[in-house]
C-alpha cells in the first residue's frame, strides 16, 4: 500500500514538472531557458525525419505523376492493347476447342453409323416466324450436297436439306412443324430393330410429337426414338437418334397412340453438322442410342 502511494506521488510530481517546463518554454519564446534542450532534440531527431521524408517524396511524386506524360500514356495504351489481344486469343482458343469437340462427336456418330458425311458449319438461322425452323450451312453442290439429304450432329438428327446452292444449303430442322420423320423405338423385336413404328412431327425447340401406329404399343417413359429410314436413304437414313419419350397420351378407341419426345439436339444452338452423302450399307439399328 505504501509503495502504491509513493508511486502515485512521484507520478504527480513528474506531471507537475512537465507542465511547468512547457509553460516556461512557451512564455520564454526565443529567450526560453529550455531552448538549448529543444535544439539538442532537433539535432538528434531532425536527420531521421529528413531521411524519411526524402525517401517517401520520390514515391509520392511517381504515383502522382504516373500517366500524365506522353511516354506513360503510350505505355498504358500498349498494355491495354496487349490485354485485349490476350483476351481475344483466349476466347478464340475456347471456341476452337468447342468446335473440335463437336466435330469429334460428329465423326464418332458417322463412323459408328456407317454414314459418309461432309462436315459443315451453321452460318445463320432463319427468322422463326409462324413457327418455322430452318438454318443455312456452309456446304453445297461443290461438296456433293443435294436436296433431300439427312443432316445430323454429334447428338442426333438435325433435319434435311431442302434447297442447295453452290456453297451453301438450307436445312429444314426436325423441330419445324412442316418436318415429318418416320421413326421407331429402340429395342429388338420389331421392324428395323424397334418395337413400335410411327411418324414424328416437329413442335419447336422443346419437343416433338409422335403418332405411333399401334394404339396398344407399350412405350415406357424414357424410351429412345430413332429414324426408321426412308427408301434409298432419302431424305432420312436409318438409325439416327431423335430423342426420348417424355409422355404418352391415352387414346381410347383411336387407331394411333400419341407420344411426346424430347429431342437430343439443341435446335436453337446447333453449330457443327454433317450432311449424309450416302446411306449406310446396313442399318445400324440401336448402335447410336446414347447411354442412359
Amino acid at each position: 500500500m505504501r509503495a502504491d502511494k509513493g508511486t502515485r506521488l512521484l507520478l504527480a510530481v513528474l506531471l507537475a514538472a512537465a507542465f511547468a517546463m512547457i509553460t516556461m518554454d512557451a512564455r520564454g519564446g526565443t529567450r526560453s531557458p529550455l531552448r538549448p534542450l529543444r535544439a539538442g532534440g532537433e539535432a538528434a531527431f531532425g536527420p531521421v525525419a529528413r531521411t524519411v521524408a526524402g525517401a517517401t517524396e520520390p514515391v509520392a511524386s511517381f504515383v502522382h505523376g504516373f500517366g500524365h506524360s506522353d511516354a506513360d500514356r503510350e505505355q498504358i495504351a500498349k498494355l491495354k492493347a496487349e490485354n485485349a489481344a490476350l483476351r481475344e486469343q483466349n476466347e478464340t482458343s475456347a471456341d476452337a476447342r468447342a468446335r473440335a469437340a463437336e466435330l469429334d462427336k460428329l465423326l464418332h456418330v458417322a463412323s459408328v453409323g456407317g454414314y459418309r458425311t461432309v462436315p459443315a458449319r451453321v452460318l445463320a438461322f432463319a427468322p422463326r416466324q409462324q413457327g418455322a425452323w430452318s438454318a443455312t450451312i456452309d456446304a453445297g453442290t461443290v461438296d456433293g450436297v443435294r436436296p433431300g439429304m439427312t443432316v445430323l450432329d454429334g447428338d442426333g438428327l438435325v433435319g434435311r436439306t431442302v434447297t442447295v446452292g453452290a456453297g451453301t444449303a438450307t436445312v429444314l430442322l426436325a423441330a419445324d412443324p412442316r418436318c415429318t420423320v418416320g421413326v421407331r423405338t429402340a429395342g429388338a423385336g420389331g421392324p428395323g430393330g424397334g418395337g413400335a413404328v410411327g411418324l414424328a412431327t416437329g413442335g419447336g425447340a422443346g419437343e416433338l410429337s409422335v403418332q405411333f401406329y399401334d394404339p396398344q404399343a407399350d412405350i415406357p417413359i424414357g424410351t429412345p426414338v430413332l429414324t426408321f429410314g426412308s427408301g434409298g436413304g432419302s431424305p432420312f437414313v436409318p438409325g439416327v437418334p431423335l430423342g426420348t419419350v417424355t409422355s404418352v397420351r391415352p387414346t381410347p378407341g383411336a387407331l394411333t397412340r400419341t407420344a411426346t419426345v424430347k429431342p437430343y439436339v439443341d435446335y436453337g444452338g446447333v453449330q457443327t453438322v454433317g450432311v449424309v452423302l450416302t446411306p449406310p450399307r446396313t442399318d445400324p439399328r440401336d448402335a447410336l442410342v446414347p447411354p442412359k
Side-chain angles (χ1 to χ4, degrees):
M1 182 69 73
R2 292 180 179 178
D4 292 340
K5 289 183 178 180
T7 301
R8 287 197 295 270
L9 180 61
L10 178 60
L11 180 60
V13 171
L14 291 175
L15 288 174
F19 280 121
M21 293 175 67
I22 293 172
T23 303
M24 185 183 302
D25 184 56
R27 291 180 177 179
T30 58
R31 298 180 181 182
S32 172
L34 300 178
R35 183 179 179 186
L37 182 61
R38 187 172 68 244
E42 292 177 353
F45 296 103
V48 177
R50 285 191 294 271
T51 301
V52 173
T56 57
E57 183 177 359
V59 177
S61 299
F62 171 78
V63 173
H64 178 73
F66 184 73
H68 293 280
S69 68
D70 292 340
D72 291 338
R73 284 192 288 269
E74 291 178 1
Q75 181 68 12
I76 292 172
K78 181 180 178 181
L79 291 174
K80 286 183 176 179
E82 291 177 353
N83 187 47
L86 288 173
R87 188 183 300 110
E88 182 179 359
Q89 181 180 0
N90 184 59
E91 293 175 354
T92 302
S93 299
D95 185 54
R97 288 193 295 271
R99 291 185 181 183
E102 292 175 359
L103 185 58
D104 284 343
K105 290 176 64 177
L106 173 63
L107 294 176
H108 173 74
V109 167
S111 175
V112 174
Y115 312 124
R116 188 169 71 87
T117 63
V118 55
R121 293 284 297 172
V122 173
L123 300 176
F125 292 96
R128 291 163 188 160
Q129 300 173 352
Q130 300 178 351
W133 289 72
S134 63
T136 301
I137 61 174
D138 63 352
T141 55
V142 295
D143 305 293
V145 178
R146 303 184 308 277
M149 287 183 165
T150 304
V151 182
L152 48 77
D153 70 359
D155 295 317
L157 182 68
V158 173
R160 59 182 173 86
T161 56
V162 287
T163 57
V164 182
T168 60
T170 300
V171 177
L172 183 68
L173 303 180
D176 193 290
R178 298 169 295 173
C179 185
T180 56
V181 186
V183 297
R184 63 174 177 84
T185 57
V197 179
L199 192 66
T201 304
E207 61 183 29
L208 297 95
S209 178
V210 180
Q211 297 288 330
F212 286 103
Y213 300 138
D214 183 0
Q216 305 301 321
D218 181 23
I219 308 172
I221 303 302
T223 299
V225 177
L226 304 94
T227 56
F228 184 83
S230 309
S234 178
F236 296 107
V237 295
V240 181
L242 182 66
T244 56
V245 174
T246 57
S247 66
V248 180
R249 294 192 292 275
T251 53
L255 298 178
T256 60
R257 193 167 195 189
T258 304
T260 300
V261 172
K262 180 180 179 181
Y264 292 121
V265 173
D266 176 12
Y267 295 111
V270 61
Q271 295 183 348
T272 302
V273 300
V275 182
V276 181
L277 301 180
T278 55
R281 293 183 179 179
T282 59
D283 189 337
R285 295 185 179 272
D286 298 344
L288 294 175
V289 174
K292 294 183 179 180

